[in-house]
Structures are given as structure tokens and as C-alpha cells.
């Protein structure tokens, strides 16, 4: 793919979400001129870029969208939900085309229909459904537009009159005549569509034109199918070139001046670029000469603009610079001195006059094509400008002094490939492990080689390396940090679309969007969050009628709140819907065999509602296409737990549901506690560990054939690690006859794991077990310790089942 | 070596202009909005500006107005817009554009204008 296209795709990928976001913001604040202006600019930019490529399917939709937004911006079309819907559809379509371009390098022609349909639906809102003429042509002619169709669109370059249809030899002849001083006038006549009913005869009128050198009649637009053709409406445009003066024509068309465009044609306008259908070129009129004419004429036009403003000196200088460059380019350097003098004179009187006079004298071709119509525009514009003083743009008031900090921000960010950051992360991981070997080295220096001094120095150096490594680790983690807004930004659209589909009204409140967490965590969070939000919309929030009946406002409220608490990210999703009925949950759980009869009686309401997280639980009676696809909240739970997260739920029947997710900020480096059992060491992720206690054997009792003890007024069941690992050894006690108990939290229950001894905690890079070891569910993974030994990290969730 | 400043917020458009102009041997600089363009103008001298209309922070009109109202070397400027309307054209010309072109500008058109405005004979 060529770099230009690549650039376009990457840019479009940035613009599309921004457009979507602005549209949704508009939904809450539909009158914000600032938002509409910004939205227009974004769509406009995207359309402009797409126009550089041959993607008519894409450009057509964007163009229609831009036109529509232009009307909205000028308050000619009111913002509406339908409008937002269609624009969003259009942008989705563009996004889809982008995917296709990226995958295949082009757009399948099959999309043309959709593109036309989308563009058409946008144009309907614009109030202009004629696809062929995106600008307000057809309708204008019928209105009281002052001038005809083509004349009305001033073209950017040489002329507003297209003379390329005139045969080459005739043009050559006319060129000579005009050079010799003969007048030549162009007339374009666009009769009103219902002119036949007003007693007008356009053809007859055209035939009255004296000295017609050339003429033609053409359809204004492509003809409709014969069946739809209205023969009583005039859809023609008449053009003629005559050597009669304009005065005669004005006289002839005096009753319908608004339908004609009469222009005196200068000789230069007859010069056409080479390569047209007529074959050879008139004189040496190629693009350079055409450019020259355009530039000189434009400078003449600028000089004719009202010159009572502060920009005049700068404008004059730039005009002189442009003219001088043109003169140099065509080799007329002899004129440069005169130009300079004219500029000096103009500057000294702060008027364009002297320069204008010089231009008219030395480059008379500049006067060409100052059409009557364009003059009218100029005076009209001048009047308008006088009425509203200059600098209508607030930004224009920004002065030099203030820019520095504004602009630097644009180059403060660097896009880096994710792979490079991952590599850095792996390296710092290895660094952390490598630095952990220094304390071992220090103790060996002391115990094995008896070098106490060296040992102390190594320890001191270790402290330094440790500090730097920690800072580095932090810095790199910062790079990987992403704001949760990355996932949040899709919710406004999701909630909007889903709730509309369900016929519900929902206000979404997002808070704490700038809370940051590691990229992996954020990515892992996306699916569970979407599932939770869908669940809330589908099952939580009621239909407006039932809400009103329950005395609640018709529009439900769904709030998603993110915050950071020490080294965890908390995300809370709450709705004010109907909540979860614990009795229904209990009954279902019992029916599905998830709990037994005893539990049915025993469990609290809070425990009951948390049963929705149990595997194989789904409360939906009817499977809708939104949630309830057979996967329930257990999928959410396991996805969250996969990244060492915790999920919990509370709900009050009739008042709503709240789900909390708690996730680590980062999962690249795991903090583990090392424990000892049967002369082996194992790691336990610190987030599982609630506390470590030593309990006297006397305080351990057997209840229902299970070991238990009472900790802080709570009965805690105990299991021996050796039993869990099927090691046929009793656990060791210390000399005071106490058991070492590691209290861990599993699904909100506390369990005491009896081990032999506790050791220190360390930072490790946890590597999942691969190959044949991957089948061992009891281990979360392995890690390399500083002394080179391997630490197996336990997964109690699997071990204790 | 002639130096051209392309001012446009769309990276694609900047690259498009850069490709065309660089292939003809010009040095191209870029600015993403009017503010950045002004800043670059203060740092070095350009022989030609190619300016977009719609840009954040400071748009093309604002930039030209600012440029022309300062006592700096006044190089010619082409304004490139998607609007073919006469009002936009007049507005651009009155704030100091020397040419008003409608997007998308064909490479040969852009080049022939640029050559002339840089005072170079046709090739």
C-alpha cells in the first residue's frame, strides 16, 4: 500500500471516532455551535482527504454528510436524532470501507448501492435530494437567484465561462478578431422551468441574438427516464457567443435579467489548454500560460477589493511578490523595476491604486474576465464586510505572544509500536529478576568467602540498583498506562443504540474516564464491561411505562464510574433498574443444582444475588439478541479473574443493581509471598493473601470432619497445603507448637491454608506454564528467582475446589 | 532551494502536497494549524505558502490575516479550500491569499501555480 493511502487510513481512523463522539455529545447539547462547528470541521477534513483518492463510494457519503452539517452549522437545518442516526450510519459505512481498503487496497463496486442510498438519506435531510447536483443548483434556478446556473458557480481558475466546446478554428478566428478590437460577448440563458406558461419562448429569444458566432442548447441535468419526463417544464440551458456588444443583449433580455449571464469575453479566455477533443492547441496555451493568467487576474481582483484595512501593506507586498515571481518565470524581468516602484508608491499612500494602475498598464490581460457577475459579487461582499467588521473568527485574535505553549503540545506525543514497549517491559522484567540476585551474592560473599566488607558494599550497591530499577519499572509502566476512556468511549454509542433498540430511555453517566491502568488490563476489561452494560440495559432498566408505574422517572440512569485506589482500579457500574430478586435467584440456583436445600435456607440475600456469577447460571427467560446468549455473568467473572480482578454485585429489588470490578493497575510484575512446605518453596500472589497467622494446635478444632479455627470471631476452615498438593507428609509445626496459617480469600470466602513456614515477599515476572506442564491447573505459573532457582506460583482457586 | 510551507490539519493532504512538491525539487515544511505556521514563519523564511481553510486553533483565514498584518517578508500564498463559493473566495483573497484553489487540486495544476509563484520558468 502506498504511504499516502496508509497515512489516509491512519488519519481516518483517528477522525471517525472523534466524529462519533461529537455526534453523541451533540445529542445532549444539540444547540452548541462550538460542537457543530468542530463536527463539521472533522467531517470536512475527512472528506477533503478522501477526495485525494478514487473512492467515490466513500467520498459521496462524506460529501453528503458535510453538506448536511454545513446546513446545520448555518442553522438552515435543525439538528435531530434522525440526523445523528443517519450520520452515524454513514460514518459506520465509511469505517467499513476503510477496513476493506486496508485489507484489499480498494473498494468493492458492490458498495456503490449502499453508498448512494446513504448519501441519498443524508441529502433528504439537507432538503436537497438531487444526488447529481450536490450544490443547490436546480432549486435555485426556480427561486429568485440573480444569475444562471453555471455563471453562478465562480470557478477557481481561469474563467467562469467554459469555451472549450467551441471548435478550435472558430476559437482561433475569434481570438484574432478580439485582438483586433472586436467585441465578443458570452451569453448564458437559463429559463425558468415554467417559462412556457408565462408566454416565453426561449428558443425564439435566442434566435433574436444578432451576429451569433456560436451557440448551443443543452440539458441542465441528465435527462430522467422518458416516463418521468415532464415535457412542459423547460430544463434547458442556452449558450451563445456573439460579436454583438453586451448592450444589445441586455436590451434583448431586459425582462428576464435574472435568468441570463452576459459576459464580455477577453481574448485570453479563448486560449484553451492543449489536449482537448479538438486536437491541436491554440497558440502555446498550456498549463503554464493558464496558470499565469489565473495568477495575474487574481492579483488584479485582489487589488480591486476594498483596501481600507490593516492588512493592506502585507497584502500589497504579497501581490507584488506573486507578480514579480510570475514576471521572472516568463522572463519579463525588465518590468520588475517598474513593479517595485509601483509597490513603493502604493505603500506610501496605503492604497492599491498605484499598483492597480501599473498592472493595468503593463499586464492588460489581468483585466480580462472581470465579469459583471464577479464585480457584483465583489461589491456585494464589500458591502457585507463593511457591515460586519473584519476578524469574524475569534481565533484570529490570537497574537504572537500566546502561541508557544499551544503549539508545542502537538509534538509532545510520539506514536510507538506496542511491540517496542512490550520488549522494554520484558527487559525491565529481566532486570528486576537480575537485580534480585545481588542480595544472594552479598550473603554468599559473607558466608562462603568471609568477605564481610565486600558483602556490605554489594548490599549498598544493590540499594542503588534497586531504586533505579524500580523507577524504571514505574516509568515503563506509565508508558503502558491507558485511560479507561479507551473503553468508556464506546459506551455512549452502545447505550444509545441498545436502548433505542429495546425501546428504553437511558441516561448514561460516565465518571473518572481519565483513570489509568495497564493496557492489558484495559483491554481485558472491555468485553466484561460491555457484557455488564448490556445486561443492565436488557434486564436491569425497565421500559418507560413500567418505570413510571413504579414511580421512577421514565428515563433510567446507568452510571459507570472508574477510580483508582492504591494499586487497584475500581470500576462501578450501577443502574436504577428493577434490581435482582434474591428469591428468584435462589430458586433458579436450586433448580439448576448449584446449591443444595440446606444452602437455600442458609444463604443471605447478598450471597444469593452473587450466585449469578456461578458457572451455568443464567436468569433470562427469553434469550434476546443483546445479552443472554447462553453466556452469563460467569463469563464476566472468569474474564475479570483472569487478570487478577475481583467482581462483586449488590442489588436491591426495585431499586437497581451495582457491580464493582476491582483490578490491579498492572499485571506485568507480580508481587508474591513465598511460603515453605515439605522443604519446598511456593509462591502465592499477594492479592490472594488476607493475612498470615500462627495458631496454636489447641485452637484448631474438627467440625464436621473439617479442620477449623476461629479468627477474629469468624470460623475459618483450614486445609493443609501438603494435602492439596498430594504430598504425603504432615505439616511442620514450629517449636511453640503453632501452625503457620496463610489466610486466603476465595470467592469472598476465607480459607486458612496450613503451611510449614512463611518467607519473604518478592517481585517476579510470572510466566505461564507451557507445553505439557500447561495442563497443571494448580499452578498459576512459574518465575525465576534471583538465585537462579524456579519458583512455582500456586493457584488456590483451582487447588481448593 | 525554494522552501514551501504547507499548512493543513489533515496529514494526508500534507503528504499529498509534499509528494508533489518534493518530486519537483522543492523543500517542503509542514504546519498543522495557523499557530504552528506562524511560528515557523518567524523562524525561517518561506517562498510560498499553501494554506488550508478549516483548521483547529487558528484557521487559514486567521493565519493569513495574521501573516499579512505583520512586518515580515510577504511570500505569496495559495489558499486551498473545498468551498467553491464566491464568498469564500473573496474572503480568502481579502485576508491575503494570492490564489484560491478548490480541492482536490490536481498535481499539474498545483505545480504550475507553484512554479510561477516561485518565479521559475516552465520546464
Amino acid at each position: 500500500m502506498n504511504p499516502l493511502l496508509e497515512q489516509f487510513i491512519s488519519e481516518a481512523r483517528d477522525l471517525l471516532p472523534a466524529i462519533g463522539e461529537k455526534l453523541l455529545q451533540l445529542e445532549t447539547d444539540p444547540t452548541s455551535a462550538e460542537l457543530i462547528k468542530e463536527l463539521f470541521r472533522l467531517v470536512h477534513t475527512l472528506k477533503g482527504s478522501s477526495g485525494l483518492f478514487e473512492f467515490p463510494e466513500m467520498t459521496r457519503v462524506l460529501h453528503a454528510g458535510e453538506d448536511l452539517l454545513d446546513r446545520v452549522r448555518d442553522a438552515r437545518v435543525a439538528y435531530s436524532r434522525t440526523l445523528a442516526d443517519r450520520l452515524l450510519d454513514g460514518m459506520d459505512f465509511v469505517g467499513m470501507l476503510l477496513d476493506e481498503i486496508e485489507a484489499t487496497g480498494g473498494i468493492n463496486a458492490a458498495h456503490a448501492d449502499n453508498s448512494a442510498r446513504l448519501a441519498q438519506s443524508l441529502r433528504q435531510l439537507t432538503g436537497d435530494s438531487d444526488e447529481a447536483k450536490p450544490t443547490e443548483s436546480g432549486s435555485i434556478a426556480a427561486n429568485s437567484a440573480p444569475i444562471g446556473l453555471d455563471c453562478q458557480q465562480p470557478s477557481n481558475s481561469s474563467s467562469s465561462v467554459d469555451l472549450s466546446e467551441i471548435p478550435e478554428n472558430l476559437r482561433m478566428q475569434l481570438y484574432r478578431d478580439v485582438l483586433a478590437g472586436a467585441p465578443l460577448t458570452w451569453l448564458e440563458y437559463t429559463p425558468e422551468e415554467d417559462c412556457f406558461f408565462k408566454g416565453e419562448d426561449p428558443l425564439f429569444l435566442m434566435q433574436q441574438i444578432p451576429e451569433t458566432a456560436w451557440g448551443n442548447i443543452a440539458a441542465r441535468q441528465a435527462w430522467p427516464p422518458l416516463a418521468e419526463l415532464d415535457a412542459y417544464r423547460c430544463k434547458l440551458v442556452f449558450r451563445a457567443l456573439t460579436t454583438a456588444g453586451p448592450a444589445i443583449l441586455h436590451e434583448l433580455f431586459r425582462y428576464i435579467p435574472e435568468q441570463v449571464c452576459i459576459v464580455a469575453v477577453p481574448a485570453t479566455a479563448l486560449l484553451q489548454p492543449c489536449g482537448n477533443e479538438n486536437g491541436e492547441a491554440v497558440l502555446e496555451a498550456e498549463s503554464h500560460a493558464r496558470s499565469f493568467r489565473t495568477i495575474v487576474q487574481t492579483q488584479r481582483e485582489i487589488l480591486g477589493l476594498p483596501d481600507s484595512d490593516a492588512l493592506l501593506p502585507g497584502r500589497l507586498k504579497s501581490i507584488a511578490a506573486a507578480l514579480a515571481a510570475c514576471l521572472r518565470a516568463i522572463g519579463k524581468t525588465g518590468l520588475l523595476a517598474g513593479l517595485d516602484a509601483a509597490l513603493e508608491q502604493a505603500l506610501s499612500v496605503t492604497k492599491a491604486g498605484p499598483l492597480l494602475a501599473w498592472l493595468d498598464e503593463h499586464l492588460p490581460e489581468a483585466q480580462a474576465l472581470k465579469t459583471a457577475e464577479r464585480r457584483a459579487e465583489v461589491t456585494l461582499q464589500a458591502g457585507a464586510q463593511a457591515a460586519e467588521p473584519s476578524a469574524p473568527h475569534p481565533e484570529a485574535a490570537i497574537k504572537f505572544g500566546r502561541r508557544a505553549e499551544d503549539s508545542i503540545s502537538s509534538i509532545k506525543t510520539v506514536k510507538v509500536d506496542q511491540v517496542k514497549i512490550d520488549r522494554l517491559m520484558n527487559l525491565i522484567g529481566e532486570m528486576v529478576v537480575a537485580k534480585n540476585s545481588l542480595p544472594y551474592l552479598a550473603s554468599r560473599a559473607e558466608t562462603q568467602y568471609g568477605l564481610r566488607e565486600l558483602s556490605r558494599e554489594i548490599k549498598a550497591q544493590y540499594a542503588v540498583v534497586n531504586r533505579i530499577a524500580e523507577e524504571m519499572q514505574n516509568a515503563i509502566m506509565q508508558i503502558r498506562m491507558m485511560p479507561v476512556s479507551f473503553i468508556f468511549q464506546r459506551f455512549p454509542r452502545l447505550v444509545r443504540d441498545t436502548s433505542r433498540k429495546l425501546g428504553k430511555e437511558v441516561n448514561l453517566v460516565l465518571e473518572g474516564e481519565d483513570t489509568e491502568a495497564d493496557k492489558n488490563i484495559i483491554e481485558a476489561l472491555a468485553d466484561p464491561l460491555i457484557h455488564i452494560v448490556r445486561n443492565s440495559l436488557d434486564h436491569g432498566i425497565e421500559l418507560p411505562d413500567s418505570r413510571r408505574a413504579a414511580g421512577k422517572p421514565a428515563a433510567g440512569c446507568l452510571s459507570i464510574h472508574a477510580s483508582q485506589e492504591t494499586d487497584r482500579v475500581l470500576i462501578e457500574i450501577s443502574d436504577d433498574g428493577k434490581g435482582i430478586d434474591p428469591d428468584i435467584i435462589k430458586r433458579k440456583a436450586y433448580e439448576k443444582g448449584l446449591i443444595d436445600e440446606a444452602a437455600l435456607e442458609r444463604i443471605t440475600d447478598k450471597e444469593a444475588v452473587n450466585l449469578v456469577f456461578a458457572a451455568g447460571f443464567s436468569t433470562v427467560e427469553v434469550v434476546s439478541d443483546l445479552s443472554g446468549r447462553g453466556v452469563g455473568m460467569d463469563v464476566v467473572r472468569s474474564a475479570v479473574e483472569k487478570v487478577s480482578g475481583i467482581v462483586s454485585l449488590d442489588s436491591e429489588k426495585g431499586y437497581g443493581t451495582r457491580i464493582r470490578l476491582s483490578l490491579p493497575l498492572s499485571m506485568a510484575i507480580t508481587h508474591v509471598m513465598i511460603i515453605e512446605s515439605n522443604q519446598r518453596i511456593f509462591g502465592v500472589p499477594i492479592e490472594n493473601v488476607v493475612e498470615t497467622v500462627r495458631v496454636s494446635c489447641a485452637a484448631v478444632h474438627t467440625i464436621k470432619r473439617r479442620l477449623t479455627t476461629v479468627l477474629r470471631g469468624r470460623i475459618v476452615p483450614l486445609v493443609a497445603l501438603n494435602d492439596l498438593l498430594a504430598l504425603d507428609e504432615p505439616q511442620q509445626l514450629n517449636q511453640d507448637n503453632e501452625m503457620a496459617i496463610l489466610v486466603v480469600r476465595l470467592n469472598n470466602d476465607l480459607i486458612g491454608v496450613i503451611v510449614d513456614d512463611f518467607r519473604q515477599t518478592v517481585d517476579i515476572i510470572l510466566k505461564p506454564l507451557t507445553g505439557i506442564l500447561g495442563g497443571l491447573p494448580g499452578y498459576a505459573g512459574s518465575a525465576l528467582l534471583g538465585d537462579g532457582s524456579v519458583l512455582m506460583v500456586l493457584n488456590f482457586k483451582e487447588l481448593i475446589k | 532551494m525554494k522552501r514551501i510551507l504547507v499548512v493543513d490539519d489533515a496529514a494526508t493532504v500534507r503528504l499529498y502536497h509534499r509528494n508533489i512538491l518534493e518530486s519537483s525539487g522543492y523543500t517542503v515544511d509542514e504546519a498543522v494549524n495557523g499557530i504552528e505556521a506562524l511560528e515557523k514563519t518567524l523562524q525561517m523564511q518561506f517562498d510560498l505558502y499553501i494554506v488550508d481553510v478549516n483548521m483547529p486553533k487558528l484557521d487559514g483565514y486567521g493565519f493569513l490575516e495574521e501573516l499579512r498584518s505583520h512586518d515580515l517578508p510577504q511570500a505569496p500564498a495559495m489558499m486551498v479550500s473545498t468551498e467553491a463559493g464566491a464568498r469564500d473566495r473573496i474572503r480568502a483573497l481579502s485576508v491575503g491569499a494570492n490564489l484560491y484553489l478548490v480541492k482536490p487540486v490536481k498535481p499539474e495544476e498545483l505545480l504550475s501555480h507553484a512554479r510561477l509563484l516561485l518565479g521559475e520558468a516552465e520546464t
Side-chain angles (χ1 to χ4, degrees):
Chain A
M1 196 184 298
N2 76 55
L4 188 62
L5 187 54
E6 253 171 49
Q7 174 63 56
F8 168 65
I9 290 174
S10 132
E11 186 179 24
R13 292 244 187 265
D14 288 344
L15 287 170
L16 278 179
I19 292 171
E21 191 186 319
K22 287 280 173 299
L23 272 171
L24 295 178
Q25 282 176 14
L26 262 182
E27 206 137 81
T28 51
D29 188 7
T31 53
S32 164
E34 202 47 50
L35 272 176
I36 291 171
K37 202 176 135 198
E38 179 63 15
L39 181 62
F40 171 79
R41 193 183 66 76
L42 291 168
V43 175
H44 173 87
T45 303
L46 186 55
K47 188 213 85 177
S49 296
S50 83
L52 296 175
F53 305 92
E54 280 295 314
F55 299 139
E57 292 86 355
M58 182 183 291
T59 311
R60 187 185 297 139
V61 172
L62 288 169
H63 197 143
E66 184 200 12
D67 279 352
L68 178 55
L69 284 168
D70 187 35
R71 307 292 155 99
V72 176
R73 194 175 55 158
D74 297 350
R76 278 181 286 167
V77 170
Y79 172 86
S80 68
R81 281 200 156 202
T82 327
L83 185 145
D85 278 347
R86 293 196 187 164
L87 278 170
L88 285 170
D89 284 349
M91 294 310 137
D92 286 349
F93 178 70
V94 171
M96 196 252 319
L97 292 181
L98 279 177
D99 292 342
E100 192 167 315
I101 294 169
E102 199 164 29
T104 66
I107 295 178
N108 191 327
H111 294 306
D113 284 354
N114 278 333
S115 159
R117 197 177 43 74
L118 283 165
Q120 182 68 23
S121 76
L122 289 167
R123 295 233 174 264
Q124 272 167 8
L125 294 172
T126 319
D128 168 19
S129 54
D130 187 0
E131 165 70 17
K133 292 263 174 187
T135 42
E136 58 241 274
S137 50
S139 52
I140 285 281
N143 290 338
S144 58
I147 23 193
L149 194 73
D150 283 6
C151 284
Q152 207 251 339
Q153 300 177 331
S155 94
N156 55 316
S157 58
S158 57
S159 99
S160 56
V161 176
D162 181 14
L163 300 180
S164 61
E165 285 177 62
I166 298 169
E168 196 68 53
N169 47 4
L170 173 61
R171 232 174 37 223
M172 180 78 103
Q173 180 60 45
L174 290 169
Y175 177 71
R176 292 194 181 118
D177 291 351
V178 175
L179 276 188
L184 185 65
T185 313
W186 166 266
L187 175 128
E188 185 167 309
Y189 169 33
T190 316
E192 280 180 17
E193 290 200 2
D194 52 357
C195 62
F196 302 140
F197 299 98
K198 297 183 175 177
E200 285 162 22
D201 185 344
L203 185 61
F204 178 76
L205 206 49
M206 288 303 287
Q207 283 168 336
Q208 300 311 303
I209 299 173
E211 297 167 58
T212 310
W214 174 86
N216 87 343
I217 303 173
R220 287 178 217 176
Q221 307 158 7
W223 292 108
L226 198 55
E228 293 168 27
L229 186 70
D230 183 352
Y232 297 101
R233 301 192 76 79
C234 177
K235 304 215 171 182
L236 298 171
V237 55
F238 299 79
R239 303 187 179 96
L241 207 52
T242 164
T243 47
I248 302 168
L249 294 175
H250 282 299
E251 172 67 17
L252 203 56
F253 288 88
R254 64 186 179 280
Y255 297 113
I256 43 169
E258 76 280 2
Q259 294 169 25
V260 289
C261 169
I262 298 169
V263 180
V265 181
T268 41
L270 292 160
L271 302 181
Q272 287 295 322
C274 56
N276 61 29
E277 63 239 340
N278 297 320
E280 341 102 77
V282 181
L283 306 173
E284 47 128 340
E286 75 241 39
S287 68
H288 211 67
R290 200 156 49 110
S291 254
F292 178 78
R293 215 171 57 209
T294 310
I295 293 172
V296 173
Q297 281 165 7
T298 311
Q299 304 319 302
R300 170 76 172 67
E301 191 183 344
I302 302 170
L303 286 170
L305 292 173
D307 50 358
S308 56
D309 64 63
L311 304 177
L312 189 71
R315 229 167 60 183
L316 290 176
K317 282 186 212 165
S318 75
I319 291 168
L323 290 173
C326 286
L327 291 176
R328 276 199 301 275
I330 59 166
K332 283 192 179 175
T333 45
L335 288 173
L336 287 173
L339 175 63
D340 268 354
L343 172 66
E344 285 308 316
Q345 209 187 336
L347 286 174
S348 65
V349 297
T350 29
K351 287 226 175 332
L355 204 51
L356 194 59
W358 179 89
L359 188 61
D360 284 348
E361 186 181 339
H362 297 279
L363 291 170
E365 51 264 65
Q367 283 186 58
L369 245 110
K370 283 294 297 165
T371 66
E373 154 230 355
R374 195 171 277 170
R375 266 206 198 100
E377 277 285 352
V378 171
T379 39
L380 191 140
Q381 188 72 22
Q385 275 209 333
E388 57 175 303
S390 60
H393 272 244
E395 299 101 308
I398 300 172
K399 290 296 168 198
F400 277 100
R402 259 190 52 196
R403 305 145 291 121
E405 64 273 28
D406 291 348
S407 58
I408 288 174
S409 63
S410 61
I411 44 168
K412 264 183 178 166
T413 38
V414 180
K415 276 191 181 174
V416 181
D417 193 337
Q418 159 95 46
V419 177
K420 291 183 185 164
I421 295 177
D422 286 348
R423 176 144 174 267
L424 210 53
M425 199 68 209
N426 283 337
L427 285 174
I428 187 65
E430 283 176 35
M431 168 95 170
V432 167
V433 172
K435 70 140 194 224
N436 282 347
S437 68
L438 285 177
Y440 288 95
L441 194 60
S443 67
R444 257 164 45 113
E446 185 172 346
T447 54
Q448 209 164 330
Y449 305 108
L451 298 166
R452 176 168 294 192
E453 280 304 302
L454 181 61
S455 165
R456 190 175 307 137
E457 274 179 38
I458 292 174
K459 275 182 192 156
Q461 197 56 35
Y462 167 72
V464 175
V465 174
N466 191 36
R467 184 177 53 78
I468 297 171
E470 267 173 16
E471 268 177 35
M472 233 163 106
Q473 183 189 325
N474 260 332
I476 295 168
M477 299 233 280
Q478 281 302 321
I479 298 178
R480 288 174 49 104
M481 290 293 211
M482 285 174 83
V484 291
S485 59
F486 179 75
I487 346 176
F488 279 19
Q489 69 189 10
R490 70 182 86 177
F491 287 129
R493 181 79 193 272
L494 178 84
V495 169
R496 175 187 186 279
D497 288 358
T498 311
S499 59
R500 291 191 82 177
K501 206 184 279 178
L502 292 167
K504 296 177 180 179
E505 286 172 43
V506 181
N507 292 325
L508 175 69
V509 181
L510 294 174
E511 281 172 300
E513 287 158 287
D514 47 2
T515 308
E516 292 193 324
D518 189 89
K519 187 169 181 292
N520 287 346
I521 302 281
I522 295 281
E523 280 167 356
L525 202 56
D527 283 343
L529 266 184
I530 290 174
H531 201 83
I532 292 172
V533 167
R534 282 204 172 126
N535 256 325
S536 260
L537 295 173
D538 205 4
H539 314 309
I541 292 172
E542 315 91 325
L543 289 164
D545 285 346
S546 27
R547 286 184 64 87
R548 269 188 225 106
K552 295 197 245 186
C557 181
L558 178 67
S559 102
I560 308 179
H561 176 94
S563 59
Q564 189 184 337
E565 208 165 88
T566 61
D567 60 343
R568 315 273 301 172
V569 188
L570 300 182
I571 296 184
E572 201 175 286
I573 306 102
S574 53
D575 65 56
D576 64 348
K578 61 177 180 242
I580 299 175
D581 186 341
D583 293 332
I584 295 179
I585 302 289
K586 275 195 247 181
R587 205 186 64 228
K588 290 250 172 187
Y590 176 66
E591 281 167 10
K592 297 195 181 208
L594 295 172
I595 51 171
D596 55 23
E597 217 161 330
L600 194 61
E601 298 300 318
R602 197 186 64 228
I603 60 171
T604 65
D605 286 354
K606 187 171 162 48
E607 284 167 332
V609 292
N610 275 284
L611 281 170
V612 296
F613 291 117
F617 190 96
S618 183
T619 53
V620 218
E621 272 113 30
V622 188
V623 174
S624 73
D625 74 330
L626 292 170
S627 55
R629 269 175 254 201
V631 292
M633 294 298 277
D634 60 317
V635 179
V636 170
R637 193 202 59 189
S638 58
V640 171
E641 283 176 354
K642 211 180 219 164
V643 290
S644 313
I646 301 166
V647 54
S648 67
L649 179 149
D650 8 6
S651 180
E652 196 170 339
K653 192 184 163 191
Y655 291 96
T657 306
R658 183 173 61 189
I659 295 176
R660 286 160 183 266
L661 307 177
S662 159
L663 298 131
L665 281 183
S666 161
M667 50 186 285
I669 295 199
T670 318
H671 202 52
V672 296
M673 170 156 217
I674 297 182
I675 50 164
E676 195 182 319
S677 198
N678 198 15
Q679 286 138 36
R680 294 153 219 242
I681 56 166
F682 299 96
V684 181
I686 206 85
E687 62 257 18
N688 291 353
V689 178
V690 179
E691 60 178 331
T692 57
V693 286
R694 289 192 186 270
V695 175
S696 155
C697 281
V700 174
H701 312 280
T702 308
I703 298 176
K704 284 191 183 171
R705 278 175 290 148
R706 284 194 72 171
L707 288 177
T708 54
T709 188
V710 179
L711 280 177
R712 294 177 231 297
R714 200 170 164 174
I715 295 174
V716 176
L718 300 179
V719 284
L721 183 58
N722 286 353
D723 288 348
L724 291 176
L725 296 175
L727 297 170
D728 209 7
E729 288 282 330
Q731 297 293 156
Q732 304 273 316
L733 302 178
N734 69 358
Q735 53 266 51
D736 297 334
N737 243 7
E738 285 172 337
M739 290 179 179
I741 294 175
L742 183 77
V743 183
V744 295
R745 182 186 297 278
L746 283 181
N747 303 337
N748 295 320
D749 287 327
L750 295 184
I751 290 183
V753 178
I754 309 167
V755 298
D756 287 358
D757 203 358
F758 310 117
R759 297 258 200 106
Q760 77 277 35
T761 61
V762 285
D763 286 337
I764 54 150
I765 308 289
L766 189 62
K767 303 263 184 208
L769 295 177
T770 51
I772 201 156
L773 292 178
L776 291 175
Y779 296 96
S782 68
L784 213 55
L785 289 180
D787 62 353
S789 62
V790 172
L791 178 74
M792 300 297 285
V793 178
L794 298 170
N795 179 359
F796 280 129
K797 282 202 180 93
E798 291 293 330
L799 273 179
I800 308 172
K801 270 208 161 166
Chain B
M1 182 80 92
K2 299 289 185 183
R3 191 175 274 280
I4 303 172
L5 183 65
V6 174
V7 191
D8 200 313
D9 59 330
T12 312
V13 176
R14 292 199 303 272
L15 185 64
Y16 174 77
H17 285 145
R18 177 184 279 279
N19 284 349
I20 294 169
L21 297 167
E22 278 184 348
S23 65
S24 290
Y26 298 119
T27 309
V28 176
D29 247 294
E30 297 179 10
V32 300
N33 57 46
I35 301 276
E36 199 183 309
L38 281 174
E39 207 160 51
K40 295 210 164 168
T41 301
L42 285 184
Q43 285 161 7
M44 66 179 86
Q45 195 174 330
F46 294 99
D47 300 297
L48 177 64
Y49 296 92
I50 298 180
V51 186
D52 179 36
V53 177
N54 273 293
M55 286 180 288
K57 289 188 186 163
L58 182 60
D59 66 8
Y61 298 129
F63 163 66
L64 285 174
E65 222 167 330
E66 195 66 49
L67 174 71
R68 297 298 187 223
S69 61
H70 280 264
D71 192 18
L72 294 163
Q74 299 291 346
M78 292 188 211
M79 185 157 238
V80 184
S81 165
T82 46
E83 298 296 333
R87 274 171 179 276
D88 301 86
R89 175 187 161 83
I90 297 292
R91 180 162 177 216
L93 295 183
S94 55
V95 296
N98 297 95
L99 258 190
Y100 186 84
L101 305 179
V102 177
K103 278 184 191 174
V105 183
K106 289 194 211 76
E108 57 277 12
E109 194 190 348
L110 182 78
L111 268 181
S112 73
H113 288 323
R115 275 204 200 101
L116 277 162
L117 288 175
L118 291 167
E120 298 194 346
E122 57 194 284
T123 47

